Amino acid sequence: MTTTYPPSDELKSKAHVDAAKYDEMYARSISDPEGFWGDVAERIDWIKKPTKIKNTSFAPGNISIKWFEDGSLNVAANCIDRHLATRGDQTAIIWEPDDPEEAAQYITYKELHGSVSRMANVLKSLGVERGDRVIIYLPMIPEAAYAMLACARIGAIHSIVFAGFSPDALAARVQGCDAKVVITADEAPRGGRKTPLKTNADKALLHCDEDVKCLVVKRTGGQTTWVDGRDFDYNAMAAEASADCPPAEMNAEDPLFILYTSGSTGQPKGVVHSTGGYLTYAALTHEVTFDYHDGDVYWCTADVGWVTGHSYIVYGPLANGGITLMFEGVPTYPDASRFWQVCEKHKVNQFYTAPTAIRALMGQGEEFVTKCDLSDLRILGTVGEPINPEAWNWYNTVVGKGKCPIVDTWWQTETGGHLMTPLPGAHATKPGAAMKPFFGVQPVVLEPTTGEEIHEFPTEGVLAIKDSWPGQMRTVWGDHERFEKTYFADYKNYYFSGDGCRRDADGDYWITGRVDDVINVSGHRMGTAEVESALVAHEKVAEAAVVGYPHDIKGQGIYCYVTLMNGEEPSDDLRKELRTWVRTEIGPIASPDLIQWAPGLPKTRSGKIMRRILRKIAENDYGALGDTSTLADPSVVDDLIENRMNR
Ligand code: WTA
């Protein structure tokens, strides 16, 4: 029996949405999406109010998603300007630096307006125009938010590259979206160490068009090399720039940003999000899921390099006129108390993090938490990967003292915002369950092979969504066919999430993890194909197959089977070399955990690698390999089991 945790009476009465209201709103969002979302869109300041609300199709050959298509607006004006009259002097962003000795910053809406307008004018002076792409490769500093909003203000499309990505990964993204400008900083402090961002950008730009410009923000003042005519000093230019920059009128369907994410095949794809639908959805989910009320201090610990940072550090909270905390550091620096010290220092009300962070901190002991005053916490959230009940219980009792509902939010880069989550004042929670669909979301469980919808419950299958919601991605940048193929080809007339799920006897949803070749390492999403292509790019590697395996802290670890070129000798030094190689090709987040030398890989007679077998061996579950008789050479399996790395 699963224990359930109902919301307190106090929460039920004060929350934006209680159980009855959820039922009523959900029912309307499905029966009358036009009416429902038309009303929700009232929360946005439109320049031209939309009259056409929903125009979407998941039909094979005609995947087309449009929301509010005749409306126009500006996202930066919605996140800043419209709040100036009522809350100009209220803090918009609290910035907490990596080093606790360095002063925090409290940036008011008025100040945000000035900084964003100046950054927008700097971008204009570099020749950035409406529709142009701008790459943002920055630490977690206020300038990252300024840069996003500055692009939005002038109608440029930003694409953030996580500061942990390597120069090669950065170059691929600059080229992938044909960016005009890369915004970076000298160095990124994190956990007491410094990543040389500008040096990385220099290396990346060697592989890019000559006319790509580089705008450099000063963070540490560390030495950087300078290329005249290509590199521009943000701080000097912003000081000179005008603080007046009228927001551009954008159509609701104009792209707001591109964010590269990993899939099961090939290189990362550029997920394109819209202006009107995305903002509406980010704002509503932020308010309802976290039960955000005016004046609350809200903290999402994600990085703006991931979608969570886009929707739930910047766009959602600021559209709601909220106070959003931006943290530059890591949970364990200077010690494992940092998260809780920051909560105490800034009197955080809503705290949103990833299961991997909870698991890492859980292992350090309770004193790190209990010595801090967490009495302002009201809502806790998790995102990014399934949370194991042990971590959930620790989060609930040690951090939340049993008083803070945990919203386990399931969603994806592609979905723009939460698709499933319990709502704090409406639903009892269950450790590890994403529970209920958000308004307008129609989840279905499909039988994996036939694609038939399974109506009864309890049941298990693959998770798909039946109809569009405003925050849905619109296309893959430059490749609409890939969009159709990736999300709509396997199961016709549905958006296929790539996740498996279980629906329990109460009809509540539990996400069981990816059913494709995407792995989730410390909440970072990665395609096994990317790691494989990095490995085979090494001159000593003939072939490689990569799978995930259960990892206590990271959720999943990266397990690599590597076949060396003829004549190459396996050694621990070579393991190290390959590890460093992958880090350089992709970034530290892709660093292999285990590398097994594989004289051969299990293949079918047609040459297809049987990953199911490799997954089982990596999970140390080789007793359940299933049928291996279709393999071209079944004996390779014995060797792989014999030499398995995870015992
Ligand atoms: C996984 C992150 C279980 C899932 C917002 C999904 C989750 C992938 C949860 C998307 C959750 C995200 N429970 N699994 N609450 N949230 N996931 O694009 O496998 O980085 O498909 O977006 O993370 O990862 P992405």
Side-chain angles (χ1 to χ4, degrees):
M1 253 301 276
T2 311
T3 319
T4 59
Y5 297 83
S8 66
D9 288 341
E10 193 192 347
L11 246 165
K12 279 195 256 181
S13 64
K14 287 193 185 152
H16 291 300
V17 177
D18 64 10
K21 195 160 175 207
Y22 170 83
D23 290 344
E24 178 205 314
M25 288 176 75
Y26 183 75
R28 178 168 182 238
S29 73
I30 304 304
S31 65
D32 177 20
E34 306 255 343
F36 180 87
W37 290 108
D39 285 354
V40 172
E42 299 282 339
R43 65 188 302 129
I44 298 298
D45 256 19
W46 299 94
I47 298 169
K48 179 176 174 296
K49 205 174 143 176
T51 61
K52 294 186 189 153
I53 304 301
K54 179 176 190 281
N55 179 7
T56 66
S57 155
F58 287 3
N62 177 32
I63 309 295
S64 163
I65 293 145
K66 292 187 178 127
W67 286 87
F68 313 119
E69 63 184 297
D70 62 345
S72 66
L73 71 161
N74 183 280
V75 166
N78 272 277
C79 290
I80 310 170
D81 305 41
R82 65 164 166 162
H83 305 311
L84 292 177
T86 49
R87 55 178 94 232
D89 294 318
Q90 179 207 293
T91 299
I93 299 176
I94 300 177
W95 178 69
E96 174 68 25
D98 185 52
D99 178 355
E101 302 294 318
E102 196 180 333
Q105 285 180 29
Y106 302 84
I107 299 145
T108 65
Y109 274 95
K110 236 187 236 160
E111 289 163 340
L112 184 63
H113 181 260
S115 298
V116 168
S117 302
R118 277 191 293 273
M119 173 95 76
N121 281 326
V122 169
L123 289 175
K124 275 190 188 166
S125 74
L126 295 181
V128 177
E129 292 172 14
R130 192 190 177 90
D132 286 344
R133 274 79 56 207
V134 172
I135 293 273
I136 301 176
Y137 184 62
L138 284 174
M140 279 290 288
I141 52 178
E143 286 81 359
Y146 304 162
M148 294 164 78
L149 292 160
C151 288
R153 197 164 189 89
I154 61 176
I157 303 167
H158 63 70
S159 183
I160 307 190
V161 177
F162 174 58
F165 276 121
S166 69
D168 284 356
L170 173 61
R173 287 154 175 78
V174 176
Q175 291 163 318
C177 69
D178 200 6
K180 252 193 183 165
V181 173
V182 175
I183 308 179
T184 190
D186 43 16
E187 296 175 309
R190 231 171 146 251
R193 287 195 290 227
K194 291 174 191 156
T195 307
L197 286 190
K198 173 61 164 58
T199 306
N200 286 353
D202 287 339
K203 286 185 195 153
L205 287 169
L206 291 177
H207 305 286
C208 300
D209 260 10
E210 282 177 4
D211 48 10
V212 180
K213 297 186 170 110
C214 187
L215 183 63
V216 186
V217 176
K218 178 176 162 194
R219 168 62 185 104
T220 62
Q223 275 291 314
T224 57
T225 49
W226 207 258
V227 178
D228 281 330
R230 185 199 73 184
D231 295 344
F232 295 84
D233 179 340
Y234 162 76
N235 300 74
M237 291 172 83
E240 296 292 311
S242 154
D244 178 34
C245 176
E249 177 172 354
M250 306 304 290
N251 179 269
E253 279 301 318
D254 284 335
L256 176 64
F257 65 85
I258 304 169
L259 185 56
Y260 282 84
T261 193
S262 299
S264 39
T265 55
Q267 290 307 307
K269 48 187 171 293
V271 166
V272 177
H273 276 291
S274 70
T275 295
Y278 170 82
L279 189 70
T280 307
Y281 199 74
L284 181 72
T285 47
H286 171 259
E287 180 179 282
V288 172
T289 302
F290 301 109
D291 194 40
Y292 188 85
H293 291 260
D294 235 17
D296 284 348
V297 176
Y298 160 90
W299 180 18
C300 165
T301 70
D303 191 287
V304 289
W306 311 115
V307 73
T308 308
H310 285 65
S311 303
Y312 300 115
I313 294 178
V314 178
Y315 291 120
L318 295 178
N320 291 334
I323 305 172
T324 181
L325 195 152
M326 222 176 148
F327 175 46
E328 188 183 36
V330 299
T332 47
Y333 178 79
D335 66 32
S337 200
R338 188 67 190 279
F339 269 3
W340 322 121
Q341 280 165 358
V342 174
C343 284
E344 174 178 329
K345 175 174 173 186
H346 298 295
K347 301 193 178 344
V348 170
N349 302 116
Q350 288 96 349
F351 178 75
Y352 189 31
T353 196
T356 185
I358 298 166
R359 285 192 297 266
L361 295 175
M362 204 169 103
Q364 311 277 323
E366 293 184 10
E367 318 76 70
F368 286 110
V369 190
T370 49
K371 71 178 185 193
C372 300
D373 175 3
L374 300 180
S375 55
D376 288 300
L377 280 181
R378 218 172 62 232
I379 311 280
L380 301 174
T382 101
V383 58
E385 48 175 325
I387 181 165
N388 47 312
E390 196 193 355
W392 196 100
N393 286 322
W394 186 85
Y395 200 26
N396 181 42
T397 49
V398 180
V399 179
K401 324 286 181 216
K403 288 187 305 205
C404 306
I406 298 177
V407 290
D408 180 351
T409 60
W410 172 77
W411 61 298
Q412 312 177 295
T413 306
E414 293 88 340
T415 72
H418 306 146
L419 289 198
M420 288 214 254
T421 176
L423 299 184
H427 303 129
T429 55
K430 300 177 185 176
M435 298 298 292
K436 306 275 187 202
F438 195 78
F439 306 133
V441 176
Q442 298 182 62
V444 291
V445 182
L446 304 180
E447 206 288 317
T449 41
T450 63
E452 291 293 322
E453 218 172 299
I454 310 175
H455 294 281
E456 50 281 347
F457 42 91
T459 191
E460 190 163 345
V462 298
L463 175 58
I465 312 290
K466 212 170 179 165
D467 198 358
S468 183
W469 61 98
Q472 183 172 24
M473 73 182 282
R474 300 304 196 248
T475 189
V476 170
W477 180 255
D479 196 349
H480 197 66
E481 209 180 304
R482 192 172 175 198
F483 177 54
E484 298 210 21
K485 241 177 132 168
T486 310
Y487 305 103
F488 301 94
D490 292 352
Y491 302 103
K492 301 270 183 280
N493 300 303
Y494 298 103
Y495 165 81
F496 174 45
S497 67
D499 281 308
C501 87
R502 194 155 71 72
R503 188 167 52 208
D504 68 18
D506 302 324
D508 295 326
Y509 290 86
W510 302 66
I511 309 301
T512 50
R514 301 289 303 198
V515 295
D516 54 9
D517 292 316
V518 170
I519 53 178
N520 209 317
V521 183
S522 299
H524 300 320
R525 175 172 162 180
M526 212 169 312
T528 52
E530 285 167 71
V531 185
E532 285 164 7
S533 74
L535 283 167
V536 296
H538 189 282
E539 55 176 14
K540 292 180 184 162
V541 175
E543 211 171 10
V546 173
V547 296
Y549 72 100
H551 187 288
D552 283 349
I553 306 254
K554 300 181 181 182
Q556 278 186 300
I558 303 179
Y559 194 116
C560 310
Y561 297 89
V562 171
T563 309
L564 293 175
M565 291 288 192
N566 259 340
E568 294 298 341
E569 282 301 313
S571 69
D572 277 345
D573 281 346
L574 184 52
R575 271 206 183 90
K576 261 187 229 148
E577 188 178 322
L578 291 181
R579 225 170 254 138
T580 312
W581 174 263
V582 174
R583 292 168 72 95
T584 328
E585 291 272 306
I586 306 175
I589 54 168
S591 191
D593 294 283
L594 297 173
I595 298 177
Q596 173 171 357
W597 307 119
L601 293 170
K603 289 185 188 162
T604 60
R605 286 186 196 100
S606 60
K608 199 168 170 302
I609 295 176
M610 288 189 74
R611 294 169 170 281
R612 174 177 56 83
I613 294 177
L614 295 176
R615 268 187 226 118
K616 286 284 176 197
I617 297 173
E619 286 164 11
N620 201 14
D621 184 19
Y622 54 90
L625 286 186
D627 185 12
T628 58
S629 63
T630 55
L631 290 177
D633 176 8
S635 72
V636 299
V637 173
D638 298 330
D639 176 85
L640 293 178
I641 293 174
E642 173 77 24
N643 294 303
R644 69 193 184 280
M645 303 289 292
N646 175 28
R647 311 177 179 242

